[in-house]
Amino acid sequence: MIQHQLNSDLKYCENIIKKHSKSFYFAFSGLPAEKRYAVYAIYAFCRIADDSVDENPIIAVKSAAINQLRHELDLFSHHEERNHPLWRALRHVFNTFDMDIQPFYDQLTGQEMDIYFSSPKTLRQLEEYSYYVAGSVGLMLLPIIATENHQYLKKTAVKLGIAMQLTNILRDIGEDFYEKNRIYLPVMEQLRFGYGKEKLDQQIIDDSFITLWEHLAVRAETLYDEFSNHLVKFDNDSKVPLMRAANVYREILNVIRENQYDCLTKRNFVVRERLEQIRV
């Protein structure tokens, strides 16, 4: 009966990742079952946190949702978690791996940064934000994919998370602006390259936009490279899925380039046939 409940809880988490991130699901589906389902449970936590912000139009409601999730995390940290599939699945993960709860709190901090959003002034501020919403995920996953070396790979995991978040931002410039009224492009970089809100309003893709976009893309690619240099220190059974995840995300940048940098009106993604061809 206990095993049946656990299987049901883990399936609940798997269904969330299958629905919301086919590329992430594809990348990590090659992990051994215990690790695979641990990744799915962590993804489910992050997705629920993200949805609690993006699916509520009223700031007070968003804030209340994050506060409720933080309260539930507090309960979890004291082994008094809610009787819910997510928390039961995460308890199994914490019982199985040498987990650290702080990155889960950092993730919620990142979601709060979106509630009270203001455009980052500098690239450094953008990367700080990217740590909270994505680098924290790298730290959550680290004890699962680097069981022996996770204490020594924190900076590496954070770099991969930041690279992926920068990729998300470069992919979603149009969606973030036109649907959410958010500009994640750093203000100082906008001024430096001569591209700002006025041009975004007109959906202009010119040399200034491309130069700004490439400036951030190159930064993301540098972080992907720095992560790759330390891949050997991760668990043998995790190296291929992890590198596949990095390469799938990195490939999004190439898709945008092939689409003439149109991330203002077009949704850019890596098609399944291309996913299967990506090498590690």
Side-chain angles (χ1 to χ4, degrees), residues 38-49:
V39 170
Y40 297 164
I42 289 170
Y43 179 91
F45 170 83
C46 296
R47 170 51 57 181
I48 289 171

Side-chain angles (χ1 to χ4, degrees), residues 10 17 21 34 46 70 78 107-108 111 125 148 156 169 188 196 208 216 219 222 235 265:
L10 295 175
I17 191 174
S21 182
E34 191 77 79
C46 296
R70 182 178 284 106
H78 292 96
Q107 171 68 202
L108 299 185
Q111 298 301 332
Q125 288 183 1
E148 298 296 326
T156 299
I169 287 168
M188 296 304 295
S208 63
L216 297 178
R219 174 57 180 161
T222 297
D235 292 353
T265 66

Side-chain angles (χ1 to χ4, degrees), residues 23-39:
S23 59
F24 207 75
Y25 179 74
F26 169 80
F28 284 103
S29 60
L31 285 170
E34 191 77 79
K35 293 187 175 187
R36 182 168 71 244
Y37 282 103
V39 170

Side-chain angles (χ1 to χ4, degrees), residues 77-185:
S77 71
H78 292 96
H79 292 259
E80 299 172 358
E81 59 267 13
R82 282 184 59 204
N83 187 23
H84 182 276
L86 170 66
W87 297 113
R88 292 194 298 263
L90 279 178
R91 176 57 61 204
H92 176 70
V93 174
F94 272 68
N95 287 342
T96 306
F97 299 96
D98 184 23
M99 301 296 292
D100 178 6
I101 202 165
Q102 184 57 48
F104 291 79
Y105 282 104
D106 289 347
Q107 171 68 202
L108 299 185
T109 297
Q111 298 301 332
E112 282 183 321
M113 293 170 78
D114 272 336
I115 294 175
Y116 304 102
F117 178 79
S118 62
S119 294
K121 299 295 187 295
T122 64
L123 180 55
R124 181 175 180 177
Q125 288 183 1
L126 176 59
E127 291 191 15
E128 179 182 4
Y129 161 80
S130 296
Y131 161 72
Y132 280 104
V133 296
S136 62
V137 181
L139 294 182
M140 293 179 205
L141 298 178
L142 194 54
I144 299 163
I145 55 181
T147 52
E148 298 296 326
N149 295 320
H150 60 276
Q151 297 296 344
Y152 312 107
L153 288 169
K154 291 182 178 181
K155 289 183 179 180
T156 299
V158 168
K159 285 179 179 179
L160 178 59
I162 291 175
M164 288 180 162
Q165 183 60 26
L166 291 177
T167 301
N168 281 339
I169 287 168
L170 291 169
R171 179 194 64 194
D172 298 338
I173 293 174
E175 178 182 330
D176 287 332
F177 180 62
Y178 304 121
E179 298 181 16
K180 303 175 184 177
N181 196 31
R182 299 176 191 164
I183 303 177
Y184 288 97
L185 304 173

